[in-house]
Amino acid sequence: MKYLSNVASLRFFTDNCTGCGRCVEVCPHAVFEIVAGKARVVDMDGCMECGACAVNCAFGALKVNAGVGCASAIISGAMRGSAPTCGCGNDNKGACC
């Protein structure tokens, strides 16, 4: 699933990565893979900014503004039992991206 191109707040700091693979394990959209003993971002546009990677990286290799955009809207909608709304839909009715 793709959201919007080139807008994810995800930042990856290669020098801090130890290659533990935790980001690969927790990312729901396979944004990362391990190559030559280090994580690598393979699908930045697949990032839904849930923040699972950053929360689980003990080495500070990842930063993301979790709780923004569509990921937050989807999670909030699911918790409320309503449709996701984040105010960024093209129909000006608050629908999610």
Side-chain angles (χ1 to χ4, degrees):
M1 179 178 285
K2 300 288 181 191
Y3 295 96
L4 300 172
S5 297
N6 302 315
V7 297
S9 65
L10 175 66
R11 299 295 172 258
F12 176 59
F13 306 100
T14 308
D15 291 342
N16 293 1
C17 179
T18 64
C20 72
R22 187 56 52 101
C23 55
V24 175
E25 293 173 13
V26 301
C27 179
H29 287 169
V31 170
F32 307 94
E33 70 179 2
I34 301 295
V35 175
K38 289 257 188 180
R40 178 173 77 137
V41 176
V42 293
D43 187 13
M44 179 72 78
D45 292 339
C47 178
M48 62 185 258
E49 297 177 319
C50 68
C53 59
V55 168
N56 286 282
C57 181
F59 306 99
L62 295 156
K63 181 180 179 190
V64 65
N65 292 335
V68 299
C70 290
S72 178
I74 291 167
I75 293 166
S76 295
M79 290 174 62
R80 286 190 306 265
S82 64
T85 58
C86 62
C88 63
N90 292 329
D91 62 3
N92 294 323
K93 295 179 183 171
C96 188
C97 308

